[in-house]
Amino acid sequence: MSELNPFLITILAVAVGYGLGSLPFGLILTRLFTNMDIRNIGSGNIGATNVLRTGRKELALLTLLLDGGKGGIAVLIMSSLANTNIGAIAGFVAVSGHCFPIWLRFRGGKGVATAIATIFAIDLLTGLVMVAGWLAVAALFRISSIAAFGSFFCATIFGYFYASLTDIEMVVVFLISALSIARHHENIRRLIAGSEARISFNKK
């Protein structure tokens, strides 16, 4: 595979990343097990936090794992077939696929779980710092969007100053963070208005 033309390898990375990333597991799981459309619940997001609002904790956990897995797997597949830079590119496309899945007319999730696992697969320490940042901010504020912002800030700062990332990997970490934060534009408006929902583990 390493002998393939770099252009062809990049095209393969895009295909693998988008193919995996665009799978809407939150929508699929809630349809299968609750007969509900997650897009009509809570924030309308297809991610794990909104799945949790159905009261089905196990579905939220499974969504979290699957959404994260598709980003991490994309990185690992292309890193093994080509190199870590190509793996990072595949990971970015996986996050983009989650945010803009063709199957849902490009109306996807915010990409936090996919982004975390992708960055985790790119660099273990940066991923650990990102997860720690999310947990710490979530425990403090109990607001998923603020936790996401904190985790991306931690990943970008740690990745730039402390991690042994290539230039392409660092650019990918930055782009993933920027994309996921941009996808939180509605959350930012609700935060300003003071109406952003808090994380809850109770059934409605």
Side-chain angles (χ1 to χ4, degrees):
M1 183 65 65
S2 59
E3 296 179 357
L4 285 178
N5 183 285
F7 176 76
L8 295 179
I9 295 176
T10 303
I11 292 298
L12 180 59
V14 170
V16 170
Y18 191 84
L20 289 170
S22 62
L23 294 172
F25 287 116
L27 176 63
I28 293 171
L29 291 172
T30 52
R31 277 275 179 84
L32 284 176
F33 295 101
T34 69
N35 201 31
M36 294 187 290
D37 189 332
I38 191 62
R39 294 170 295 180
N40 297 325
I41 298 171
S43 65
N45 190 265
I46 63 172
T49 300
N50 202 41
V51 173
L52 186 61
R53 295 188 177 109
T54 66
R56 298 290 298 271
K57 299 176 185 178
E58 73 282 7
L59 292 184
L61 177 60
L62 189 54
T63 300
L64 179 68
L65 294 175
L66 290 173
D67 279 349
K70 60 191 184 183
I73 289 172
V75 174
L76 295 177
I77 288 175
M78 293 311 304
S79 293
S80 64
L81 293 178
N83 54 63
T84 57
N85 286 335
I86 294 297
I89 292 171
F92 171 70
V93 178
V95 177
S96 301
H98 179 83
C99 294
F100 308 105
I102 189 173
W103 327 113
L104 303 180
R105 298 182 180 180
F106 304 103
R107 297 175 183 175
K110 297 180 176 68
V112 177
T114 310
I116 289 176
T118 297
I119 292 175
F120 214 103
I122 290 173
D123 182 72
L124 179 62
L125 286 178
T126 303
L128 288 172
V129 169
M130 188 176 189
V131 171
W134 194 98
L135 292 173
V137 178
L140 183 62
F141 293 99
R142 293 187 67 82
I143 297 178
S144 179
S145 55
I146 294 180
F149 300 154
S151 69
F152 288 121
F153 176 79
C154 290
T156 302
I157 296 301
F158 183 84
Y160 184 80
F161 288 104
Y162 301 104
S164 301
L165 301 179
T166 66
D167 289 343
I168 290 179
E169 289 172 335
M170 188 63 238
V171 168
V172 165
V173 170
F174 176 79
L175 289 177
I176 287 174
S177 300
L179 173 60
S180 295
I181 290 174
R183 292 289 293 168
H184 282 79
H185 55 90
E186 293 180 358
N187 302 81
I188 293 172
R189 284 197 291 268
R190 287 196 294 270
L191 284 169
I192 294 173
S195 60
E196 178 73 327
R198 292 181 177 271
I199 299 173
S200 174
F201 298 95
N202 298 318
K203 292 183 179 182
K204 293 186 178 180

